[in-house]
């Protein structure tokens, strides 16, 4: 289910109240599709609208800690949105997304190629955390991506109480980067039995990955 969760702003769920096998649309409380580094909103090749980064989600040191750059070239089949542009991080950088409490489905998009700024994303190593939970550690998109795919999507399911703080930490030798960020809320009880339980999720040592 999770691989197609964000292909539409609606999630179809089977609900017993409508009869066996029936579905009803779920409108996510929270839905973010960030085209990182972009300055305008643009649709992808499936028609989904990706937005430029909302200034309210960026840290106060955004200008000093990061910059945006276009890919020097794109392999055949690689969509322009969200892979033409990237936000590149010189130092720790935290996006703060205002979201409702509950489980969130998080997708991070990476295109490890050379960028016009001279940054070689294929040689980059970095870490990613959400609200203190480590999602990726000493991660290399260049070493992880397959030769046939060119782009990489990492998927996670994370519990959030008030804000989703997404932090990119570059290694001493190279910047970090990201091309696109997707966040969507999940229906209560869809992932965890009994719904979102704050006392349980507070004790979790790490989020679940997909």
């Amino acid at each position: 289910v999770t691989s197609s969760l964000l292909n539409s702003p609606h999630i179809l769920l089977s609900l017993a109240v409508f009869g066996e096998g029936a579905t009803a649309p779920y409108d996510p409380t929270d839905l973010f599709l960030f085209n990182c580094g972009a300055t305008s909103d643009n649709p992808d090749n499936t028609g989904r609208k990706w937005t430029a980064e909302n200034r309210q989600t960026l840290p106060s040191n955004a200008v000093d800690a990061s910059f945006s750059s276009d890919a020097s070239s794109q392999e055949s089949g690689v969509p322009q949105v969200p892979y033409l542009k990237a936000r590149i991080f010189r130092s720790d950088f935290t996006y703060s997304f205002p979201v409702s409490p509950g489980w969130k489905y998080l997708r991070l998009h990476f295109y490890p190629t050379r960028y016009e700024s001279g940054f070689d994303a294929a040689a980059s190593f970095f870490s990613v955390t959400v609200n203190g939970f480590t999602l990726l550690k000493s991660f290399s998109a260049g070493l992880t991506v397959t030769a046939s795919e060119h782009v990489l999507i990492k998927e996670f399911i994370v519990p959030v109480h008030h804000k989703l703080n997404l932090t990119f930490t570059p290694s001493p030798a190279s910047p970090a980067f990201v091309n696109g960020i997707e966040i969507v809320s999940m229906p209560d009880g869809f992932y965890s039995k009994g719904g979102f339980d704050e006392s349980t999720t507070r004790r979790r040592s790490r989020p679940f990955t997909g």
Side-chain angles (χ1 to χ4, degrees), residues 40-189:
S40 61
D41 301 347
N42 289 285
D44 63 17
N45 56 8
T46 67
R48 292 188 304 158
K49 182 181 178 182
W50 292 71
T51 65
E53 296 155 311
N54 187 323
R55 290 183 178 274
Q56 294 181 346
T57 68
L58 303 180
S60 58
N61 68 335
V63 174
D64 294 330
S66 73
F67 60 95
S68 62
S69 186
D70 289 2
S72 297
S73 62
Q74 284 190 287
E75 297 286 347
S76 175
V78 174
Q80 284 202 343
V81 178
Y83 299 109
L84 174 63
K85 296 182 178 293
R87 181 159 293 279
I88 300 164
F89 311 107
R90 302 184 184 95
S91 58
D92 286 10
F93 188 102
T94 299
Y95 291 93
S96 292
F97 296 92
V99 295
S100 59
W103 295 97
K104 309 301 172 189
Y105 186 69
L106 169 67
R107 266 181 170 177
L108 303 177
H109 294 255
F110 303 100
Y111 181 32
T113 189
R114 185 171 291 278
Y115 287 80
E116 291 181 354
S117 62
F119 170 62
D120 184 4
S124 176
F125 287 83
F126 55 93
S127 299
V128 181
T129 62
V130 165
N131 293 351
F133 296 120
T134 298
L135 302 182
L136 301 169
K137 186 175 179 64
S138 299
F139 169 71
S140 168
L143 293 178
T144 308
V145 73
T146 64
S148 60
E149 293 293 334
H150 303 300
V151 301
L152 180 69
I153 302 173
K154 299 296 287 183
E155 301 174 323
F156 308 91
I157 295 173
V158 296
V160 181
H161 299 285
H162 300 292
K163 279 190 175 182
L164 192 156
N165 294 317
L166 178 65
T167 301
F168 292 83
T169 301
S171 69
S174 64
F177 80 102
V178 68
N179 297 90
I181 299 171
E182 298 185 67
I183 299 170
V184 65
S185 56
M186 301 178 69
D188 190 41

